[in-house]
Each structure stands twice: as C-alpha cells, then as structure tokens.
C-alpha cells in the first residue's frame, strides 16, 4: 500500500512520442534507407557528367612506324595528357534510373510514415492502458478507505452493543 504513493508520473504524450520516434530502431533504419536512396539518386545523376582524367604513358615499341621511312628498330615513346570522357549513352539510361530510384525513395518514405503511425498507435494504446491502471489504483485506494471506515463504524457499533458479532 505504501508503494502506491510512489507511482511514476505520467509524462506528456508528445514527449513520449518524440522519444519513441528518435529511439525506435525501425525508424532509424528507415531514415538510413532514405539517406542511402538519396545518395544513390545523387550517384545516378552524376553518371551523366563528363569525366576528366590525367594520364601518362611510356613505352618501348617495335617496329618504329611513327615516322617515315619506317625502320626496323625499337623506339621510345612517352605521352602525357588529359582525357575527357563524355558518356552520351548515360543521358538516355539515367532518365529511367532516376525515375525508378525516385519511386523507390517514395516507397521508403511511405514505409517510414507507416512505421511512425504504427508506433504512434502503440504508444497511444500504452498511454491509455497506463491511465486506466492509474484509475483502477485510485478506485482501489478509495475502496480500501471506504472499507476501512465501514469496518471502524461496525466495530464501534459492536463494542457499543449496537451490532451483532455476525455484522462484524
């Protein structure tokens, strides 16, 4: 009976909801999936950009055919330069990949919202059950007080010889 006075206080629903949304593993996983999808979309978008690279090459070749007259001798050749690669075919392919990735990201967002709604429903259920438990405890305390008072009245009546032993 003494432990009933030490019940935890009910924190507001919004605070519980914020803690649940921040701490829920499924929500964190959904957020990571959405971030991963955004990175994939960024990667797809970057595949149409031209690529500039620096190259260097040195070789020993045979036969010498770079100059005229050709000679049956080894020659050394070195090259240094910039190479520009423009992926023209990606202009067509990335349009479809972007659309499919955006659809995947929308699906992931909907799944996250569903998980949040499910979490909200579970939390609301637990809050209602907790409040009902507190109400039942308060009712039990009231019943105990009333029963104690009734017992005191009947005991006093018995000792004053106004009630029978059977009433007590």
């Amino acid at each position: 009976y003494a432990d009933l006075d030490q019940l935890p206080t009910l924190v507001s629903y919004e605070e519980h909801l914020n803690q649940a949304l921040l701490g829920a593993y499924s929500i964190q996983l959904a957020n990571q999936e959405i971030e991963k999808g955004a990175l994939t979309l960024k990667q797809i978008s970057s595949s149409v950009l031209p690529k500039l690279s620096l190259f260097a090459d040195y070789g020993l070749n045979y036969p010498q055919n770079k100059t005229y007259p050709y000679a049956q001798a080894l020659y050394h050749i070195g090259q240094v330069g910039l190479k520009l690669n423009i992926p023209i075919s990606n202009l067509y392919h990335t349009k479809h990949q972007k659309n499919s990735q955006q659809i995947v990201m929308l699906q992931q967002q909907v799944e996250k919202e569903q998980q949040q709604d499910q979490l909200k429903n579970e939390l609301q259920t637990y809050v209602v059950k907790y409040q009902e438990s507190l109400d039942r405890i308060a009712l039990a305390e009231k019943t105990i007080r009333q029963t104690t008072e009734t017992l005191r009245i009947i005991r006093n009546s018995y000792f004053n010889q106004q009630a029978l032993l059977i009433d007590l």
Side-chain angles (χ1 to χ4, degrees):
Y1 182 70
D3 292 338
L4 296 179
D5 296 333
Q6 299 172 0
L7 289 174
T9 58
L10 184 61
V11 181
S12 70
Y13 173 75
E14 289 78 20
E15 290 180 34
H16 277 300
L17 182 62
N18 289 337
Q19 289 176 357
L21 291 178
L22 290 177
Y25 178 73
S26 60
I27 302 296
Q28 290 176 354
L29 193 62
N31 284 335
Q32 288 179 354
E33 287 295 323
I34 290 171
E35 289 174 10
K36 185 176 116 181
L39 288 175
T40 304
L41 186 62
K42 197 173 184 180
Q43 182 181 11
I44 290 170
S45 298
S46 70
S47 68
V48 297
L49 298 175
K51 294 174 182 72
L52 184 64
S53 58
L54 179 68
F55 74 94
D57 188 24
Y58 183 78
L60 187 63
N61 295 324
Y62 180 83
Q64 190 270 356
N65 58 4
K66 294 287 184 189
T67 59
Y68 189 79
Y70 301 131
Q72 295 291 332
L74 293 173
Y75 71 97
H76 303 275
I77 187 166
Q79 297 177 343
V80 175
L82 294 173
K83 182 165 72 168
L84 180 66
N85 184 11
I86 302 173
I88 297 173
S89 65
N90 285 349
L91 292 172
Y92 173 74
H93 294 296
T94 56
K95 180 174 73 170
H96 303 296
Q97 290 174 345
K98 273 185 181 179
N99 290 339
S100 66
Q101 184 60 31
Q102 288 172 344
I103 290 170
V104 167
M105 286 180 61
L106 286 175
Q107 288 174 344
Q108 290 171 343
Q109 187 67 30
V110 168
E111 286 177 16
K112 177 186 172 188
E113 290 172 3
Q114 286 176 346
Q115 290 173 352
Q116 286 177 338
D117 288 342
Q118 181 181 1
L119 190 63
K120 287 177 186 178
N121 288 341
E122 288 177 9
L123 184 62
Q124 184 65 34
T125 302
Y126 294 140
V127 166
V128 167
K129 285 182 179 180
Y130 182 73
Q131 191 62 45
E132 287 174 354
S133 298
L134 290 179
D135 292 342
R136 275 190 249 130
I137 289 171
L139 182 63
E141 288 175 343
K142 184 179 177 183
T143 304
I144 289 171
R145 282 193 306 271
Q146 287 176 347
T147 305
T148 305
E149 182 64 22
T150 304
L151 179 63
R152 186 189 65 79
I153 291 171
I154 292 176
R155 188 178 289 154
N156 286 341
S157 297
Y158 173 72
F159 288 129
N160 290 333
Q161 296 181 351
Q162 294 173 350
L164 300 174
L165 181 60
I166 220 145
D167 293 335
L168 184 58

